[in-house]
Amino acid sequence: MPVFPPLEHVTASEELSATLMYHVERPVLNEGYIDSELLHRKKRTPKSFQRRIAEHLWCSSEKAKSVVFGFLPILTWLPSYPLKQYLFGDIVSGISAGVMQLPQGLAYAMLAAVPPVFGLYSSFYPVLLYTFFGTSKHISIGTFAVISLMIGGVAVREAPDSMFAVNGTNASQIVDFEARDARRVEVVVAMTTLVGIIQFVLGLLRFGFLAIYLTEPLVRGFTTAAAVHVSVSQIKYLLGVHTARFNGPLSVVYSLDAVFRNIASTNVVTLIIGLVCTVFLYFIKDLNERFKKKLPIPIPGEIIVVIVSTGISYGMVMSENYGVEVVGKIPTGLLPPKIPDFSVFPSLFPDAFAIAVVGFSIAISLAKIFALKHGYSVDGNQELIALGLCNFMSSFFHTFAVTASMSRSLVQESTGGHTEIAGLLASLLVLLVVVAIGFVFQPLPTTVLAAIIMVNLLGMFKQMKDIPALWRTSKIELAIWLVSFFASVLLGLDYGLVVAMGFAILTVIYRTQCPKNALLGQIPDTGLYFDVDEYEEAEECSGIKIFQSNTSIYFANSDLYVSALKAKTGIDPAKLLAARKSQLKYAKRDNGERKAVNHCSPVKKNAVVLLDVELGITHEVVAGAKKQMDHVYTNGQMTENHTESESEDDFFLQRLTPIHTIILDFTPVNFIDSVGAKTIKSVIKEFATVDVKVVLAGCSRTLVSDLRTLKFFCEPVTPDLIFPTIHDAVLHCKHSRDVQ
């Protein structure tokens, strides 16, 4: 008979579940006993400040080696680089990525509002430096649309066309383009220097965790909005119309309005070239995607388009004969280093910080994706340092800020790249073009670059699919995505990013303000406790309410925690005490009437107070002359009629609520501040006024330590009110009630 492995596995699992039993026999524990008898802290001699400083500054060969290897990761893998296994793949990958770097460098320089050759510089120096300082083996550092657009917005703001008007009038304004471009390059280079400094300092301060505040929905919404900005900015190049470049809030609207106002002046030849290139590039991109497993390397559609269109433009002299705008002068060779203009730093700092954070977030996200896929790790802090050095050192050679490119990284990884050598080879290919044959691309129509940019944005626009997916999984993350997108589209990328981050932080506050609150019940014959509203098996313990709120308790939500506790348990001490006063008022009146009646009369008037605990409403029923009160309810227990010797105050207080204990499950509580500690202490005191005991369960050792630091344990609150588990608390409360 054949054996079916799945059935055999299930049977074994069932047998294992049936044979394993959980037997624990121990006394009920509370924090007082745990701290004094069960646990004993390890004795540690605190180190003096001088000793800690000495240990930190102490140097050894191992420590020095670790620092050097951490700062220069290339030293850890280059000596053991397997030439036969990796070299061919890195060469193919480097050439493929370099071929993409060339047209994208030229195109993204347009977004950065600087001449195209500066895009080539930015595709060489940073890529070369990342080989030595980076920890990711697969990301392709260089120009990127989102960062380039943010840079261009700042350049246009700091050096607008109006500053370089030759005649100084608005009627027939003539712009000195050479002076304008020179100033914009100075601004862009200075901002790149500042971006590098910010990233480097954040890396040294171990701020690699900074990217976690840019949650994935926020980044994807932001980059999709950036794709909208980029696409709109390229329409004028695709049509061949001349409009001003807008920046700031509603710049998308102003740009579209300017294009439509000038659409009558569309250059038909420019439009045809742009559309043909767009269709061709889309076809090649789709072909590469469909047959990526069969093609040894992706078809280099971009470089094909650039070469062919450059040749046609040169042969037909399109610039002169048809008025097609071309790239123009591309100087051969590298420019000498130059010190940036530090005087503009103060006005650029907010934008530089935003670019630094966004650039790092994009790079580390891609780096982690590839690291997870290929089984190695990346260091977020070292990535910050690497990006900072790439931007800072390169800025002296006239580059603009860079980060990892999504499309180039995918090509570099899919074509067999194994290490940073692929990026090194890509940078050398760009260097060859800059030094030797850069002038060849001077006749290249700018509409071709616009087509390259817009087709490369398709991947970002596909992120729109996040909307239905997030609608099904998380409405809050969907709200973050939408706010990030619309704020960035309407307000601009800089203000939009600030608004998106602020909204993301507000959602965290919202989650702590609106936690899930539950009353827990015991699963019979176990020590497990679950939400009574969710599970049929969960049964509440008689006279005990177990309250759980999945949030920490601090100044922002402590009042809400107390309100939820009272609403969920149905016990509000203030209302119960008010009801008691009302009862006492009627009791005194009835007592006076009883004293006026003859002592021999067997008939007495009695007041029966029935309390609806859940609604917090008291109902008084006064018996007639012929009715006798035979029993009353005290904490849910039926007792004999009280004697007149009992005080009226004690008698009416006994019957305020059938609940005698509330257990606060602190298992989900990660931290508590001084306001939260005072709030919990006041809750314990407040409920004690109506004879309801409040105890805590499930506190972590860190939380208990925090409570001690906050002076939580002082009369009437003692460590004996804290239990390690809910079951300990339940058993203790039941036993205490039985003893009474």
Side-chain angles (χ1 to χ4, degrees):
M1 181 179 288
V3 178
F4 298 95
L7 293 178
E8 183 182 7
H9 174 73
V10 171
T11 304
S13 176
E14 289 177 351
E15 290 178 357
L16 186 66
S17 177
T19 55
L20 284 177
M21 299 297 291
Y22 188 171
H23 294 287
V24 176
E25 185 174 345
R26 62 168 175 80
V28 172
L29 303 176
N30 58 41
E31 182 57 33
Y33 178 81
I34 290 174
D35 190 63
S36 61
E37 302 292 337
L38 188 63
L39 296 179
H40 299 88
R41 292 187 177 275
K42 292 182 178 180
K43 294 182 179 180
R44 290 190 177 95
T45 304
K47 296 178 182 179
S48 65
F49 178 76
Q50 291 82 357
R51 184 177 177 184
R52 289 200 300 268
I53 293 294
E55 288 181 355
H56 182 73
L57 298 177
W58 178 72
C59 185
S60 66
S61 58
E62 289 296 324
K63 189 174 182 181
K65 184 179 178 180
S66 175
V67 170
V68 172
F69 278 27
F71 189 71
L72 285 169
I74 190 173
L75 298 177
T76 62
W77 57 266
L78 188 60
S80 58
Y81 181 81
L83 285 173
K84 293 183 179 180
Q85 186 179 355
Y86 284 179
L87 185 59
F88 179 75
D90 281 341
I91 291 175
V92 173
S93 176
I95 293 174
S96 302
V99 166
M100 287 188 70
Q101 286 268 25
L102 291 171
Q104 289 187 5
L106 294 169
Y108 294 151
M110 294 169 53
L111 294 178
V114 294
V117 70
F118 292 94
L120 296 180
Y121 299 154
S122 301
S123 299
F124 167 61
Y125 290 107
V127 183
L128 179 66
L129 290 170
Y130 186 81
T131 304
F132 298 92
F133 300 106
T135 60
S136 175
K137 302 178 186 299
H138 295 93
I139 63 173
S140 175
I141 293 295
T143 56
F144 186 58
V146 175
I147 301 298
S148 301
L149 186 66
M150 295 177 73
I151 293 168
V154 178
V156 172
R157 185 192 70 205
E158 296 294 323
D161 290 349
S162 58
M163 286 180 60
F164 304 92
V166 175
N167 58 2
T169 65
N170 293 326
S172 58
Q173 196 174 75
I174 300 174
V175 178
D176 185 351
F177 293 108
E178 188 173 342
R180 182 203 65 181
D181 289 345
R183 180 56 184 166
R184 286 182 177 177
V185 168
E186 290 181 354
V187 171
V188 167
V189 167
M191 188 169 61
T192 303
T193 305
L194 192 54
V195 168
I197 293 172
I198 292 171
Q199 290 176 331
F200 183 74
V201 171
L202 289 177
L204 291 179
L205 296 176
R206 322 306 289 174
F207 268 68
F209 67 89
L210 194 66
I212 64 176
Y213 291 100
L214 294 177
T215 178
E216 185 179 359
L218 186 152
V219 172
R220 293 174 72 86
F222 176 80
T223 51
T224 307
V228 173
H229 278 278
V230 173
S231 299
V232 170
S233 71
Q234 296 307 296
I235 293 176
K236 65 178 183 179
Y237 297 107
L238 202 63
L239 299 176
V241 300
H242 297 278
T243 65
R245 179 164 176 165
F246 298 93
N247 187 45
L250 299 180
S251 59
V252 169
V253 177
Y254 295 142
S255 298
L256 288 174
D257 178 66
V259 168
F260 286 123
R261 286 178 182 275
N262 294 275
I263 200 167
S265 61
T266 298
N267 187 308
V268 178
V269 176
T270 298
L271 178 60
I272 292 173
I273 294 172
L275 291 178
V276 170
C277 291
T278 301
V279 172
F280 176 78
L281 287 171
Y282 180 79
F283 173 75
I284 294 297
K285 202 174 188 70
D286 184 64
L287 208 62
N288 286 332
E289 185 65 27
R290 286 172 179 262
F291 300 100
K292 61 183 178 182
K293 294 183 179 179
K294 297 181 179 180
L295 293 171
I297 61 171
I299 301 172
E302 294 173 344
I303 198 67
I304 292 173
V305 162
V306 167
I307 293 173
V308 172
S309 58
T310 300
I312 294 174
S313 175
Y314 176 77
M316 299 180 67
V317 196
M318 287 186 172
S319 177
E320 296 178 5
N321 295 339
Y322 301 100
V324 175
E325 188 175 347
V326 296
V327 167
K329 184 179 179 182
I330 298 179
T332 302
L334 300 172
L335 296 177
K338 182 180 177 182
I339 297 176
D341 181 8
F342 298 109
S343 63
V344 296
F345 274 19
S347 61
L348 300 180
F349 184 81
D351 303 283
F353 189 84
I355 292 171
V357 173
V358 172
F360 169 65
S361 177
I362 293 170
I364 196 65
S365 299
L366 284 172
K368 287 183 176 180
I369 290 172
F370 290 120
L372 184 64
K373 181 178 180 181
H374 293 277
Y376 63 93
S377 61
V378 291
D379 184 349
N381 295 312
Q382 179 59 29
E383 285 298 298
L384 260 177
I385 292 174
L387 279 176
L389 289 173
C390 288
N391 284 316
F392 175 74
M393 297 173 67
S394 300
S395 67
F396 290 88
F397 297 90
H398 315 278
T399 65
F400 54 84
V402 298
T403 186
S405 166
M406 202 177 304
S407 57
R408 292 197 307 272
S409 298
L410 288 171
V411 168
Q412 183 169 313
E413 185 263 347
S414 63
T415 52
H418 298 287
T419 66
E420 291 90 330
I421 294 294
L424 174 65
L425 295 174
S427 68
L428 294 178
L429 182 61
V430 174
L431 175 64
L432 177 65
V433 173
V434 173
V435 172
I437 58 174
F439 65 92
V440 172
F441 298 106
Q442 291 180 170
L444 175 64
T446 54
T447 186
V448 176
L449 298 179
I452 291 172
I453 291 172
M454 296 183 76
V455 172
N456 275 314
L457 294 174
L458 290 176
M460 292 188 189
F461 282 115
K462 287 180 180 179
Q463 294 175 154
M464 289 283 189
K465 296 178 181 178
D466 292 348
I467 296 176
L470 290 175
W471 174 262
R472 293 189 295 267
T473 57
S474 173
K475 303 295 190 299
I476 292 180
E477 290 190 338
L478 173 62
I480 293 174
W481 197 102
L482 292 175
V483 169
S484 178
F485 175 78
F486 285 110
S488 300
V489 167
L490 298 176
L491 301 179
L493 297 180
D494 45 3
Y495 293 118
L497 179 63
V498 173
V499 171
M501 291 183 68
F503 182 78
I505 293 172
L506 286 177
T507 61
V508 176
I509 297 174
Y510 169 78
R511 293 189 193 212
T512 64
Q513 299 289 320
C514 301
K516 177 177 173 56
N517 302 309
L519 288 180
L520 306 184
Q522 184 181 14
I523 306 302
D525 301 321
T526 72
L528 303 177
Y529 293 81
F530 296 110
D531 188 350
V532 295
D533 293 331
E534 293 285 338
Y535 302 99
E536 295 179 356
E537 293 80 4
E539 299 176 358
E540 286 196 78
C541 304
S542 177
I544 299 174
K545 293 284 186 180
I546 306 170
F547 176 73
Q548 182 191 75
S549 182
N550 61 338
T551 182
S552 296
I553 306 171
Y554 62 110
F555 67 93
N557 70 346
S558 56
D559 289 340
L560 296 175
Y561 183 90
V562 176
S563 299
L565 169 64
K566 292 177 180 178
K568 207 69 178 170
T569 59
I571 304 172
D572 187 337
K575 291 182 179 179
L576 295 180
L577 291 174
R580 186 185 102 178
K581 290 181 180 179
S582 176
Q583 295 165 8
L584 287 174
K585 175 182 175 182
Y586 286 106
K588 290 178 180 178
R589 186 191 66 185
D590 292 344
N591 189 39
E593 291 177 357
R594 283 198 300 271
K595 289 180 180 179
V597 176
N598 193 317
H599 291 286
C600 296
S601 175
V603 180
K604 297 181 179 180
K605 291 186 177 181
N606 297 279
V608 179
V609 178
L610 304 176
L611 176 68
D612 185 343
V613 175
E614 296 297 328
L615 297 178
I617 303 172
T618 57
H619 307 275
E620 182 169 327
V621 181
V622 180
K626 294 183 179 179
K627 293 184 179 179
Q628 179 74 23
M629 185 176 68
D630 297 323
H631 60 267
V632 295
Y633 287 92
T634 303
N635 285 335
Q637 304 295 327
M638 187 178 292
T639 63
E640 296 299 324
N641 191 19
H642 75 289
T643 63
E644 292 186 6
S645 61
E646 292 176 317
S647 71
E648 294 170 347
D649 190 62
D650 291 341
F651 170 69
F652 282 101
L653 182 60
Q654 285 177 346
R655 62 184 81 187
L656 287 178
T657 171
I659 304 302
H660 58 78
T661 304
I662 293 177
I663 300 172
L664 304 181
D665 179 18
F666 270 32
T667 306
V669 178
N670 293 319
F671 69 91
I672 188 169
D673 66 358
S674 60
V675 176
K678 290 177 182 177
T679 301
I680 298 301
K681 184 180 286 190
S682 66
V683 164
I684 295 173
K685 293 178 181 179
E686 185 181 6
F687 277 81
T689 60
V690 290
D691 199 25
V692 176
K693 185 179 182 180
V694 177
V695 300
L696 280 57
C699 297
S700 66
R701 303 309 305 166
T702 303
L703 192 63
V704 172
S705 178
D706 290 342
L707 291 175
R708 292 185 185 280
T709 304
L710 295 170
K711 309 298 182 184
F712 182 74
F713 299 115
C714 58
E715 289 297 334
V717 182
T718 64
D720 294 341
L721 295 179
I722 298 184
F723 298 88
T725 68
I726 297 176
H727 201 52
D728 281 286
V730 170
L731 294 176
H732 170 82
C733 295
K734 284 183 175 180
H735 176 73
S736 299
R737 201 66 189 173
D738 292 340
V739 171
Q740 293 178 2

